[in-house]
Amino acid sequence: MSTGSAAHRTRPDVQAVLQAFGLSEAASLVYQALLRTPEPAEGALSAELGLSADEVRAAYRELTGLSLLRSSWDDPLTLRPVIPELGLKALLAHREAELLAHRQQVEQAQAAYEIIRTESASGRRFTHTEDLVGVDAIRDRLAELGARTRSQVLAFIPGGGQSESARRTSRPLDEELLHRGVELRTIFLDSVRNHQPTTDYARWLGERGGQVRTVPSLPMRMTIVDREAAVVPLDPERSDTATVLYGTGAVAAMCALFDLVWSGATPLGDARSRDPHGLSGQHYALLRILHQGETDVVAARKLGVSERTVRRLISELMDLLEARSRFQAGARAAERSWLR
């Protein structure tokens, strides 16, 4: 009797700590009870904690989702608690990764604020825009900008392998620019390496002086002309609307983004390699996309691959991380700093 009273007296402090990890009150109580008695009868657990059978079952589901319960090696139908040194440490790493991502968002917002503040202080308009609606309007405007280009065109081209119509439309424009000595830098997704028509087109560009590189994922479709105007989507989910940005600050930010991605991209002629952990650039990009809470469908679109390929990459990641669930894989990736 005295042992039970002591446990109940210490429980509120421990419970508050566990809730800091994101556990609900019921899950916190159940986890503590399971650490004391790993395999209690469900009815006994309900009586001890003053919880209903439904609340206990919901707590079990929550703890399993957080990888704080695992199947027993002796009886896979029995769930046993994962010791805090493993389970809570993984949750802590996940929390730290979330904080890091939040801090990066704050830093990006601060950088954007500094651009706006600087432009405002100098007495210039920050930017002006021109909205384009319809694929024909976008292509016509790109053709007009291309005709006026003096020195350089930079482009992000997401979406994986390019369609025949897209290649047919781009070829004469690119050929005319290269003939005039305009520098072309184009970044495709890594997935185009598996699409022969697109790689043939990229090599055609390279043979005429264009520079082509690939990356695992791209933030959006973008074309920058002479570092003075940038054509970006009004809505990243749609390809039939766009806006043309003019103004030192806005276009400089787009150029900085392109230069950053370009510096880490792989020239098309180079083979993709894996790092000492056994991961490719696609693996790291997929980890970041899934960490943002995106679905397999969204991940496939951002990587320019099929959902089947996304599932294969996830399976490879779980094997490399020796994880039994996606959440556990994410926590272990954060612990190893693979999300940075």
Side-chain angles (χ1 to χ4, degrees), residues 13-329:
D13 292 337
V14 178
Q15 181 181 330
V17 171
L18 289 174
Q19 288 179 13
F21 282 92
L23 276 69
S24 67
E25 181 179 356
S28 302
L29 291 172
V30 170
Y31 182 59
Q32 293 171 71
L34 292 176
L35 289 175
R36 294 193 298 270
T37 308
E39 297 181 20
E42 187 174 303
L45 195 59
S46 297
E48 177 189 350
L49 301 177
L51 299 173
S52 68
D54 287 342
E55 288 175 322
V56 171
R57 283 192 288 271
Y60 266 81
R61 289 194 296 271
E62 180 180 341
L63 293 169
T64 302
L66 294 173
S67 298
L68 290 176
L69 292 183
R70 63 167 178 80
S71 297
S72 169
W73 296 110
D74 297 322
D75 179 7
L77 297 179
T78 300
L79 294 174
R80 293 180 57 86
V82 177
I83 61 173
E85 289 82 353
L86 296 178
L88 292 182
K89 185 177 181 181
L91 279 180
L92 180 60
H94 184 70
R95 285 281 187 167
E96 289 176 341
E98 288 179 337
L99 289 173
L100 176 62
H102 180 68
R103 189 175 73 178
Q104 290 173 338
Q105 291 175 348
V106 172
E107 289 174 352
Q108 291 170 357
Q110 289 174 334
Y113 164 74
E114 287 301 323
I115 291 174
I116 295 172
R117 185 185 63 81
T118 301
E119 290 291 334
S120 177
S122 66
R124 297 189 301 269
R125 288 187 65 185
F126 168 59
T127 187
H128 66 275
T129 63
E130 173 191 357
D131 292 343
L132 305 171
V133 178
V135 175
D136 288 338
I138 296 171
R139 288 181 175 177
D140 289 347
R141 195 71 184 94
L142 285 171
E144 291 174 7
L145 289 169
R148 301 175 189 172
T149 303
R150 301 183 305 276
S151 59
Q152 186 184 62
V153 174
L154 313 174
F156 283 166
I157 303 184
Q162 304 299 292
S163 67
E164 181 181 355
S165 63
R167 298 193 307 273
R168 188 171 58 250
T169 300
S170 299
R171 186 182 291 265
L173 299 175
D174 291 339
E175 190 167 29
E176 194 273 334
L177 289 168
L178 291 167
H179 180 71
R180 288 199 283 116
V182 173
E183 179 187 21
L184 293 187
R185 291 188 184 184
T186 306
I187 303 179
F188 289 99
L189 292 179
D190 282 346
S191 59
V192 304
R193 293 170 181 265
N194 300 319
H195 188 253
Q196 194 61 47
T198 302
T199 57
D200 289 343
Y201 181 75
R203 290 193 177 93
W204 175 84
L205 280 174
E207 290 168 358
R208 286 155 180 76
Q211 300 178 61
V212 179
R213 297 185 181 185
T214 69
V215 291
S217 65
L218 286 167
M220 59 183 168
R221 183 176 296 274
M222 177 173 70
T223 301
I224 301 173
V225 177
D226 287 338
R227 296 184 178 257
E228 295 176 353
V231 182
V232 297
L234 278 171
D235 181 352
E237 305 297 326
R238 296 176 56 181
S239 60
D240 60 348
T241 61
T243 186
V244 187
L245 300 176
Y246 304 94
T248 306
V251 179
M254 297 297 102
C255 291
L257 174 62
F258 182 92
D259 291 339
L260 178 63
V261 176
W262 180 264
S263 66
T266 304
L268 185 64
D270 295 355
R272 287 177 295 177
S273 60
R274 298 198 177 198
D275 67 7
H277 301 302
L279 272 68
S280 67
Q282 274 190 325
H283 286 118
Y284 284 110
L286 178 59
L287 278 171
R288 289 190 291 271
I289 292 169
L290 295 178
H291 180 64
Q292 294 167 358
E294 303 289 6
T295 64
D296 289 2
V297 174
V298 174
R301 177 174 56 77
K302 288 188 174 183
L303 295 177
V305 298
S306 66
E307 292 179 55
R308 181 178 179 181
T309 299
V310 168
R311 289 192 290 271
R312 175 180 61 78
L313 292 170
I314 291 173
S315 178
E316 291 175 1
L317 285 167
M318 292 178 67
D319 288 343
L320 289 167
L321 289 160
E322 298 180 346
R324 302 178 68 182
S325 69
R326 289 191 180 195
F327 180 85
Q328 188 178 42

